[in-house]
Amino acid sequence: MFQQFCKLVLKLTGWRISGNLPADSQFIAIVGPHTSNWDFIIGVLARGALGAKVNFLGKHQLFKPPWGWFFKAIGGRPVDRTRSNNLVDAVVQIFESDPSFSLALAPEGTRSPVKRWKTGFYHIASKARVPIITVGLDFGNKRVIIPQGVLTSEDMQQDMDQIIAFYRSIRGRHPKVIPDFQP
């Protein structure tokens, strides 16, 4: 029923989904460009319309009452960004312990313009040996675009150049420049 609801809401608002998530039960979906709180809403609706169980990480403040139960119920996992912790290894452990775990992340790590993307998603995918799936939220064309997955290779520069090239064609709700990758 939730899947039909999400499909209906996307249709009524003019959004379409191009592509599918992989049949693999484990992957990291990087979703971008992340420029607005609407990104989360469109992402949750698209995930629901596809009938996929994809988790996300969110700042720990979101998981406090009164809304904390809701974010956990829809697949959220809190992250305390004020403390230094090894988030990459912690997420890799989740992948290793849960064969159906998949994760969606915003490579910018914030809605604000950035000079450099965070690369934790890449390191998680490499260590957990899971594919990276690019998902574009194209507000200009009202499309959620899911091309074929990008497997992590031994060449981070090559993979990141390919990933960033995809996002250069996507228009976020508040367009911004996608930075080049510099290790």
Side-chain angles (χ1 to χ4, degrees):
M1 183 150 161
F2 183 68
Q3 186 174 14
Q4 296 308 317
F5 171 77
C6 291
K7 285 180 179 181
L8 177 65
V9 171
L10 288 174
K11 183 177 181 177
L12 291 174
T13 58
W15 279 84
R16 300 178 323 273
I17 300 174
S18 300
N20 286 300
L21 293 172
D24 298 341
S25 57
Q26 289 191 318
F27 57 86
I28 292 181
I30 53 170
V31 184
H34 186 29
T35 65
S36 163
N37 285 331
W38 283 102
D39 301 342
F40 179 77
I41 295 165
I42 298 299
V44 169
L45 288 169
R47 179 190 74 174
L50 292 168
K53 181 184 179 229
V54 181
N55 300 283
F56 64 92
L57 303 177
K59 54 186 171 184
H60 70 284
Q61 294 95 331
L62 293 174
F63 295 88
K64 293 181 179 178
W67 294 103
W69 66 271
F70 173 74
F71 289 111
K72 285 181 184 173
I74 63 171
R77 305 251 179 153
V79 174
D80 186 350
R81 297 187 299 186
T82 62
R83 293 188 310 162
S84 176
N85 51 24
N86 195 339
L87 187 59
V88 169
D89 288 338
V91 175
V92 169
Q93 285 181 338
I94 296 170
F95 272 107
E96 290 172 351
S97 66
D98 184 350
S100 65
F101 185 76
S102 58
L103 181 63
L105 297 170
E108 299 99 331
T110 180
R111 293 179 306 276
S112 303
V114 296
K115 294 183 191 296
R116 188 172 190 277
W117 279 6
K118 296 184 179 287
T119 57
F121 73 88
Y122 191 90
H123 297 294
I124 292 167
S126 294
K127 285 185 172 187
R129 294 181 300 283
V130 298
I132 296 171
I133 309 304
T134 52
V135 178
L137 301 178
D138 189 343
F139 280 79
N141 296 303
K142 288 192 170 185
R143 285 179 49 212
V144 177
I145 304 168
I146 310 168
Q148 292 191 349
V150 177
L151 289 172
T152 55
S153 70
E154 296 298 316
D155 188 344
M156 184 178 191
Q157 183 70 52
Q158 177 183 326
D159 289 343
M160 292 299 293
D161 288 346
Q162 183 178 352
I163 290 167
I164 287 172
F166 166 72
Y167 286 106
R168 289 200 191 286
S169 67
I170 307 294
R171 185 171 158 232
R173 180 160 168 81
H174 303 291
K176 62 183 179 184
V177 175
I178 305 294
D180 288 325
F181 176 71
Q182 299 167 5

